[in-house]
Amino acid sequence: MAAGGNGAAGGGGTDTKAAFAQIYNTLKEELLADPAFEFTAESHQWIDRMIDYTVLGGKCNRGLSVVDSYKLLKGADVLGEEEMFHACTLGWCIEWLQAFFLVLDDIMDGSHTRRGQPCWFRVPQVGFIAVNDGVILRNHICRILKRHFKGKPYYADLVDLFNEVEFKTASGQLLDLITTHEGEKDLTKYNITVHRRIVQYKTAYYSFYLPVACALLLSGENLENYGTVENILVEMGTYFQVQDDYLDCYGDPEFIGKIGTDIEDYKCSWLVVQALERADESQKRILFENYGKKDPACVAKVKNLYIELNLEAVFQEYESESYKKLIADIEAQPSIAVQNVLKSFLHKIYKRQK
Ligand code: GPP
Ligand code: MG
Ligand code: MG
């Protein structure tokens, strides 16, 4: 994956999922009756279809994590109706943010499918209108926050949180894009520092930190007191993306639902970084000659080299070391409720196969 399009840590029992799905309808209806705009029949229909197409169809793991985390922070299995509505609404704001990112990312990456259907911009009659739809999706988040949270003591922090996370993600996207720039392909630029910087910004903040930060704000907490929690979640998001890079090459396409293209796309994947660290001169030559080429024979040569370098074992070692380090950091947290939130996240992704 590449991170973005796919599921991050998730959860949510059947009841939570049903309530969460129900609240989507309410939010959509409200947006389609927004008094700030006089909808024509055509624009109403366009937005209705566009939201269904771009926001739905994923696993909603990020959104559901707001509800799960909030429950754990409160130590409650069941939430009151209003609390549930607010937690689900923030969850949907993250799903809207994800839709906005993916609509634009698919244009930038020239992708063809997303969540098992053509990318929104590939739909006949959409094309570059998708750029404006991305802007509208992004504005929907502000409209939802204003309608349901204005007047809450944490409203300003909430708006600031979404802005900060969006900025970080767009900055990570920039790093991701300029690294694979045609004409500037240079494997000697790839190392673990470059990889970490890309995935931390592109994936970890919005997929891992944002759901928990939303739950903390709902609980009346001040995010300034949660710097180490942020660090742990960014670490977990980095580990999640390393798994993703691994699955891009070693996952079963039937099972993970997509065919990996990191080698062809010249991605700064964790695997190529590990290969570069371990390769001798002749193996490096194989990488330099074959990485980033569409030709399946070139891709096969890179994959053979990964086998020769035993990268599967390198990954397994990384996975268990990351887990141990994360558990130790989590257990150093003073609050048991916060420990539970973080452990629940970690256990949802540890040794995941998709
Ligand atoms: C997806 O990464 C990218 C994002 C979620 C961030 C996009 C940010 C913007 C400001 C548009 P990817 O391209 O590696 O993932 P996928 O394989 O799912 O397309
Ligand atoms: Mg992409
Ligand atoms: Mg991308």
Side-chain angles (χ1 to χ4, degrees):
M1 122 170 156
N6 307 283
T14 321
D15 290 354
T16 307
K17 281 186 180 151
F20 191 72
Q22 187 54 42
I23 286 163
Y24 169 80
N25 294 319
T26 307
L27 298 175
K28 190 176 83 167
E29 288 313 314
E30 287 171 355
L31 291 166
L32 286 170
D34 193 327
F37 178 61
E38 285 176 55
F39 280 96
T40 58
E42 290 79 6
S43 58
H44 187 279
Q45 199 185 19
W46 183 279
I47 298 295
D48 189 346
R49 173 169 172 243
M50 185 274 286
I51 305 176
D52 280 350
Y53 198 97
T54 61
V55 178
L56 300 182
K59 291 192 287 286
C60 291
N61 282 337
R62 293 167 181 82
L64 288 165
S65 289
V66 177
V67 185
D68 289 342
S69 300
Y70 183 54
K71 282 184 184 169
L72 288 166
L73 286 173
K74 283 199 63 151
D77 274 346
V78 184
L79 298 175
E81 199 178 327
E82 199 184 311
E83 280 180 318
M84 186 67 178
F85 181 82
H86 282 121
C88 289
T89 298
L90 287 187
W92 278 114
C93 285
I94 302 180
E95 295 299 323
W96 245 267
L97 185 70
Q98 159 100 328
F100 153 58
F101 287 153
L102 298 181
V103 163
L104 298 184
D105 175 70
D106 285 337
I107 300 172
M108 293 183 238
D109 288 349
S111 299
H112 289 268
T113 53
R114 165 78 61 193
R115 295 168 171 169
Q117 56 181 4
C119 300
W120 177 238
F121 81 101
R122 300 260 178 210
V123 172
Q125 296 203 315
V126 177
F128 284 126
I129 298 175
V131 175
N132 195 61
D133 286 332
V135 176
I136 286 183
L137 288 166
R138 198 261 170 265
N139 277 271
H140 280 166
I141 301 165
C142 304
R143 320 273 327 145
I144 297 171
L145 292 178
K146 189 170 170 178
R147 179 185 277 263
H148 294 288
F149 295 92
K150 195 161 191 231
K152 301 268 181 214
Y154 53 82
Y155 177 62
D157 289 337
L158 205 47
V159 173
D160 187 56
L161 172 67
F162 273 87
N163 285 339
E164 288 296 304
V165 167
E166 181 188 348
F167 175 67
K168 285 184 161 73
T169 310
S171 303
Q173 176 79 343
L174 174 71
L175 295 177
D176 177 275
L177 291 168
I178 59 182
T179 317
T180 58
H181 225 159
E182 214 44 65
E184 288 173 37
K185 289 181 175 173
D186 177 7
L187 271 189
T188 60
K189 291 187 305 201
Y190 286 1
N191 56 53
I192 201 64
T193 313
V194 171
H195 176 266
R196 165 171 275 272
R197 198 181 298 123
I198 294 173
V199 306
Q200 169 179 343
Y201 286 100
K202 184 181 80 168
T203 306
Y205 282 101
Y206 95 92
S207 304
F208 285 79
Y209 174 61
L210 184 57
V212 173
C214 282
L216 284 165
L217 287 179
L218 274 176
S219 311
E221 297 293 327
N222 181 346
L223 294 181
E224 281 175 11
N225 299 330
Y226 287 88
T228 54
V229 170
E230 174 174 340
N231 293 341
I232 292 171
L233 286 161
V234 167
E235 223 28 70
M236 226 186 276
T238 305
Y239 160 62
F240 174 84
Q241 186 60 41
V242 171
Q243 290 175 313
D244 207 78
D245 290 357
Y246 176 82
L247 290 171
D248 186 276
C249 180
Y250 291 101
D252 174 1
E254 283 292 317
F255 194 64
I256 63 171
K258 59 185 179 181
I259 300 160
T261 54
D262 283 357
I263 296 173
E264 292 90 326
D265 291 348
Y266 204 78
K267 287 282 178 182
C268 181
S269 158
W270 184 84
L271 290 172
V272 78
V273 168
Q274 298 307 315
L276 285 164
E277 276 182 18
R278 287 165 177 77
D280 61 26
E281 283 314 309
S282 78
Q283 290 168 322
K284 271 195 186 143
R285 213 169 310 120
I286 295 175
L287 270 181
F288 277 74
E289 281 165 12
N290 295 286
Y291 202 70
K293 303 243 163 82
K294 292 265 175 276
D295 181 354
C298 296
V299 176
K301 282 188 193 147
V302 174
K303 288 197 176 184
N304 280 339
L305 186 64
Y306 288 177
I307 293 170
E308 233 174 271
L309 294 169
N310 208 4
L311 293 191
E312 277 189 78
V314 177
F315 171 75
Q316 272 141 26
E317 173 70 11
Y318 167 86
E319 177 146 61
S320 53
E321 283 307 307
S322 301
Y323 179 79
K324 272 191 250 165
K325 166 109 184 38
L326 282 164
I327 287 289
D329 290 348
I330 291 169
E331 289 182 345
Q333 280 295 304
S335 152
I336 297 292
V338 168
Q339 285 191 21
N340 289 340
V341 168
L342 297 172
K343 279 187 183 169
S344 135
F345 250 76
L346 181 57
H347 288 134
K348 283 168 198 158
I349 61 165
Y350 183 50
K351 294 207 166 161
R352 72 189 173 96
Q353 300 293 316
K354 67 172 179 181

